[in-house]
Amino acid sequence: MNILVVGLGLIGGSLCKAMKKYTYHTVYGENRSKETEEYALRDIAIDHKFGGDYSAIDLVIISLYPEATEKYLSDHAHEMARGTLITDVCGIKGDFAARMTKLAADNGLRYVGMHPMAGKEFGGYQNSTADLFQKANFVITADGDSDAEGVKTLESLAKELGAGKIVITTPENHDKMIAYTSQLAHIVSSAYVKSPELELECGFSGGSFQDMTRIATMNETMWTELFMQNSRHLQYELDTLIANLQTYSDALRNGDSERMKLLIAEGRELKEKNLRNRVGQPN
């Protein structure tokens, strides 16, 4: 295919590099910073800088923040060849995907959402890598009205890029699960580093501290968009976590060691069951 990647940040840049390393697709790159386009061309991460002619493009992967993704499609959909497949890599689908589907359909295009579950603490093209998606989970969102061939195309591309597990689900279920598995964790990490003890942790921290705080370096602009567009599901998960934390706090406040022991045991048993269920399955 001739594939256009719009936005050459961490995910977009990594998609380009992965396609050049693991596939035979022809890759076009477009980025607001033309200097980044030049970097990508010199890195052989792309075959061509995009010149504005969509007629030969089979697949457009928009790798921008959610609001910018919608704006790009709104601004350029009328220029694209009818039947072109459009996808995005946003961590939100739901109503966003419905709007993208309508924009595409109104212009004779096909839209199917995609969300590679991969990333790093720091973004930008300079941190992109061809192996970012090796063994990563890929979520493809589709409902009864989605283009079946488009779903197959993205599934095939995900396999070429090294996906470990590919999940096809509805946009609504995507948002419900991502609120728990990703967005909640980012909020917890951001809140965790707000202790006054943060500046004193050097020499006292180990793997658990690093695990809990790694993603606190998230981009506030992008993640605010993701949180607010998924507020219903994320609010539910956050309220559930706060209620669970309160039980631990109550046990401490009341000096109730038996209650604390029971709470810890419950958590251990739930996680052990989760691990047993994963046996024999890809990530």
Side-chain angles (χ1 to χ4, degrees):
M1 294 184 290
N2 290 329
I3 299 177
L4 167 62
V5 178
V6 180
L8 303 180
L10 173 65
I11 300 300
S14 295
L15 283 169
C16 291
K17 291 177 179 180
M19 286 189 287
K20 288 303 299 173
K21 181 175 181 180
Y22 295 110
T23 82
Y24 294 102
H25 303 302
T26 299
V27 182
Y28 294 76
E30 181 178 6
N31 196 74
R32 180 176 57 183
S33 165
K34 300 308 172 186
E35 184 179 24
T36 300
E37 288 184 0
E38 291 292 341
Y39 285 145
L41 199 60
R42 288 199 297 270
D43 285 347
I44 319 179
I46 60 175
D47 296 293
H48 309 283
K49 292 187 291 183
F50 183 62
D53 180 7
Y54 293 93
S55 61
I57 301 297
D58 302 299
L59 169 63
V60 179
I61 304 175
I62 309 176
S63 185
L64 303 171
Y65 299 167
E67 292 177 10
T69 294
E70 283 190 62
K71 186 176 188 308
Y72 184 90
L73 185 58
S74 178
D75 289 347
H76 298 284
H78 67 282
E79 303 169 26
M80 299 177 186
R82 295 183 68 85
T84 301
L85 179 60
I86 313 296
T87 192
D88 69 282
V89 295
C90 293
I92 184 75
K93 293 297 183 270
D95 292 340
F96 164 86
R99 294 190 298 271
M100 291 287 286
T101 298
K102 186 177 187 307
L103 274 171
D106 287 348
N107 290 273
L109 310 173
R110 302 175 294 147
Y111 168 79
V112 178
M114 178 172 70
H115 185 192
M117 301 299 296
K120 290 184 177 182
E121 297 94 319
F122 301 101
Y125 178 80
Q126 67 274 18
N127 292 304
S128 62
T129 172
D131 294 324
L132 185 65
F133 310 107
Q134 292 294 302
K135 298 184 179 180
N137 295 330
F138 269 71
V139 182
I140 297 170
T141 55
D143 54 29
D145 297 325
S146 296
D147 182 81
E149 285 302 315
V151 172
K152 290 179 181 178
T153 296
L154 294 184
E155 190 174 8
S156 176
L157 179 62
K159 290 176 181 177
E160 289 180 300
L161 298 179
K165 183 177 178 65
I166 300 170
V167 176
I168 300 174
T169 190
T170 64
E172 176 71 12
N173 192 56
H174 166 276
D175 287 3
K176 178 176 179 289
M177 294 307 302
I178 290 302
Y180 175 62
T181 63
S182 175
Q183 293 176 349
L184 180 64
H186 281 77
I187 284 183
V188 170
S189 186
S190 181
Y192 187 86
V193 298
K194 293 179 180 177
S195 168
E197 304 304 316
L198 178 67
E199 297 303 317
L200 305 174
E201 61 82 18
C202 187
F204 291 88
S205 60
S208 56
F209 177 83
Q210 299 303 325
D211 289 345
M212 284 289 292
T213 61
R214 178 179 63 82
I215 51 178
T217 58
M218 62 182 157
N219 180 293
E220 61 271 20
T221 302
M222 180 184 76
W223 283 96
T224 296
E225 287 188 27
L226 295 173
F227 292 163
M228 300 311 290
Q229 289 203 36
N230 200 24
S231 60
R232 178 168 59 90
H233 293 304
L234 183 54
Q235 186 70 64
Y236 169 80
E237 293 299 342
L238 188 57
D239 288 347
T240 300
L241 175 64
I242 290 170
N244 286 330
L245 288 173
Q246 188 61 55
T247 63
Y248 290 83
S249 179
D250 291 345
L252 280 174
R253 184 175 292 106
N254 297 328
D256 191 342
S257 58
E258 286 303 312
R259 176 63 172 158
M260 180 63 75
K261 185 177 181 180
L262 177 62
L263 290 170
I264 294 171
E266 286 175 346
R268 173 181 56 76
E269 290 164 4
L270 285 168
K271 183 57 184 176
E272 287 174 349
K273 181 180 179 182
N274 172 254
L275 291 172
R276 287 195 299 271
N277 290 340
R278 281 173 170 263
V279 173
Q281 297 182 17
N283 285 338

